[in-house]
């Protein structure tokens, strides 16, 4: 069977597009994995590591039909930090949000549920605030105070190391920030991260 030139061209273009996408992700992972020290802090736009997370997770969330809303203020002053370390923080939070949503989907097969992760960045006085909000299963009240402990996890055996939030907490503290949790029943969770504005 002869394949038309148009079909061949379309397939070639798709292959090239996927190769370029894979190359971009590999390069991004190399940068993400680069070791950084606390004394390498630089003035950065907090929105950049947030957007970079979706280079890695965007397609995965789309496949799972999880909507992502980025409500980012593009006029924020910089904070002091290291982009790939902050990306690690937001990657952990988004992956936790994804898992909480998937867990809720399992128990709401016949319910009206629109999975969504919202990330907001805004200025509050002399602080930069980022809210990572999901409408997943929520965090039980009795474990909220332990959520940042090393090796503590509410996930099934083999599905979590219990280190993601502990590492994220340490990174945020290294940059003079704070991280808080708001979670009500099974209505979802908000992680609120606050950083001081970099000195001018």
């Amino acid at each position: 069977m002869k394949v038309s030139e148009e079909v061949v061209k379309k397939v070639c273009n798709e292959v090239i597009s996927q190769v370029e996408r894979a190359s971009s992700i590999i390069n991004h992972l190399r940068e993400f994995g680069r070791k950084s020290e606390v004394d390498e802090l630089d003035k950065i736009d907090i929105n950049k590591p947030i957007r970079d997370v979706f280079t890695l997770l965007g397609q995965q969330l789309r496949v799972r039909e999880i909507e992502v809303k980025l409500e980012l203020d593009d006029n924020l002053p910089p904070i002091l930090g290291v982009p790939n370390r902050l990306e690690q923080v937001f990657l952990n939070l988004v992956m936790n949000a994804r898992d909480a949503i998937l867990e809720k989907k399992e128990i709401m097969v016949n319910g009206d549920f629109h999975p969504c992760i919202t990330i907001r960045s805004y200025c509050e006085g002399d602080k930069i605030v980022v809210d990572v909000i999901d409408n997943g299963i929520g965090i039980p009240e009795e474990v909220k105070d332990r959520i940042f402990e090393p090796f503590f996890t509410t996930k099934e055996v083999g599905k979590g190391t219990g280190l993601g939030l502990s590492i994220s907490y340490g990174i945020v503290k290294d940059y003079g920030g704070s991280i808080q949790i708001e979670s009500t029943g099974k209505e979802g969770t908000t992680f609120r991260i606050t950083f001081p504005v970099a000195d001018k």
Side-chain angles (χ1 to χ4, degrees):
M1 184 181 72
K2 187 177 179 181
V3 179
S4 71
E5 184 178 337
E6 184 180 345
V7 170
V8 172
K9 189 179 292 185
K10 184 177 179 181
V11 170
C12 286
N13 287 337
E14 180 64 22
V15 169
I16 290 169
S17 173
Q18 292 301 322
V19 168
E20 288 175 347
R21 182 173 180 272
S23 177
S24 173
I25 290 173
I26 289 167
N27 289 333
H28 188 78
L29 284 169
R30 284 176 178 158
E31 178 61 25
F32 178 72
R34 187 177 68 85
K35 183 170 168 38
S36 302
E37 302 298 337
V38 173
D39 61 3
E40 292 180 15
L41 301 188
D42 200 0
K43 290 182 179 180
I44 65 167
D45 173 8
I46 192 66
N47 293 328
K48 184 180 187 310
I50 293 172
R51 288 191 172 102
D52 285 348
V53 163
F54 297 99
T55 300
L56 301 175
L57 290 184
Q59 180 63 22
Q60 183 187 126
L61 296 171
R62 280 190 291 274
V63 167
R64 287 170 168 78
E65 299 181 328
I66 299 173
E67 182 183 4
V68 175
K69 296 181 181 178
L70 294 182
E71 301 173 0
L72 308 179
D73 184 342
D74 289 323
N75 297 306
L76 294 175
I79 68 163
L80 286 177
V82 178
N84 62 343
R85 296 264 284 164
L86 286 168
E87 186 179 340
Q88 184 177 358
V89 171
F90 295 119
L91 184 68
N92 281 328
L93 293 178
V94 171
M95 287 174 68
N96 278 353
R98 175 205 64 192
D99 293 347
I101 285 171
L102 293 178
E103 187 175 346
K104 188 170 181 177
K105 283 180 79 172
E106 287 182 4
I107 62 174
M108 292 193 65
V109 178
N110 299 316
D112 182 19
F113 178 46
H114 179 72
C116 184
I117 298 172
T118 302
I119 304 183
R120 297 189 183 119
S121 65
Y122 53 97
C123 201
E124 201 170 74
D126 60 350
K127 305 287 186 183
I128 300 299
V129 184
V130 178
D131 293 335
V132 179
I133 306 162
D134 71 69
N135 61 347
I137 196 70
I139 299 172
E141 188 67 34
E142 61 270 20
V143 304
K144 276 187 191 176
D145 292 339
R146 300 190 60 198
I147 208 75
F148 296 114
E149 291 179 12
F151 303 108
F152 178 79
T153 181
T154 58
K155 297 175 184 176
E156 296 176 21
V157 175
K159 290 192 175 181
T161 63
L163 288 173
L165 287 177
S166 174
I167 290 170
S168 297
Y169 181 86
I171 293 170
V172 171
K173 286 295 183 182
D174 282 345
Y175 301 158
S178 64
I179 182 167
Q180 299 172 313
I181 309 170
E182 296 176 9
S183 189
T184 307
K186 296 183 178 180
E187 297 304 312
T189 300
T190 297
F191 282 90
R192 176 159 293 145
I193 309 168
T194 305
F195 294 102
V197 171
D199 294 333
K200 295 181 180 179

